Amino acid sequence: AVTTLGYGTYQWQYQQTGIYDNGDSRNTPYGDSYTNGDIVACALDLDNNKIYWSKAGVWQASSDPTDGTNAVAITDPASGPKDGCYYPSVADWDDIAGGDIWEVNFGGCSSFTVSSGNADDNGYGNFEYDVPAGYYAICTKNLAEYG
């Protein structure tokens, strides 16, 4: 059995080749490929169960998180067999000696330079690219307000 991220019913991944995977819907074209040094962002709409990915500030598949255009539909985890939570993650498929290095920024990361300093509508976070209106950094202050 394959246990790769994105192969499960409640898993979604945007691969380096510009496709996304979810359960039985594998290799679905979605956008541009990405490589070392590229910045890939994810917007998760938990009110409408949708996900979006961008590369270098451009939302892929002509999607728009602010109006719901060309979203990838996701399954509400509350309807599944697990605990009703999402678990953001990144993975390395090829097992290269030494491994790949991923830097993940939920808005408060200071281990790398962000040149443009964009925050969410509440003023939280420090992102390279503009945060779509109505989307928020994952931080305790936003979680306290929005759950």
Side-chain angles (χ1 to χ4, degrees):
V2 177
T3 58
T4 300
L5 181 66
Y7 277 31
T9 302
Y10 299 96
Q11 300 174 8
W12 291 264
Q13 72 161 319
Y14 179 46
Q15 288 190 16
Q16 190 173 2
T17 57
I19 63 171
Y20 78 85
D21 286 336
N22 164 249
D24 292 329
S25 300
R26 294 201 247 317
N27 300 315
T28 305
Y30 186 76
D32 297 331
S33 62
Y34 58 92
T35 190
N36 293 344
D38 283 337
I39 296 175
V40 175
C42 177
L44 188 59
D45 179 348
L46 298 178
D47 292 328
N48 299 298
N49 297 314
K50 297 178 179 182
I51 192 169
Y52 309 83
W53 291 280
S54 74
K55 174 189 167 187
V58 177
W59 294 101
Q60 299 299 285
S62 300
S63 63
D64 183 348
T66 61
D67 69 11
T69 304
N70 294 334
V72 174
I74 59 176
T75 306
D76 186 338
S79 67
K82 300 295 180 185
D83 57 8
C85 296
Y86 285 107
Y87 301 94
S89 57
V90 296
D92 174 16
W93 172 261
D94 54 18
D95 292 330
I96 296 174
D100 292 331
I101 297 172
W102 294 84
E103 293 180 307
V104 180
N105 179 7
F106 293 103
C109 188
S110 59
S111 66
F112 52 92
T113 303
V114 174
S115 62
S116 57
N118 290 282
D120 65 20
D121 289 344
N122 284 341
Y124 302 127
N126 188 20
F127 300 99
E128 184 65 32
Y129 298 103
D130 186 42
V131 177
Y135 288 79
Y136 301 95
I138 299 175
C139 68
T140 55
K141 290 181 180 180
N142 280 334
L143 288 172
E145 185 171 345
Y146 301 108

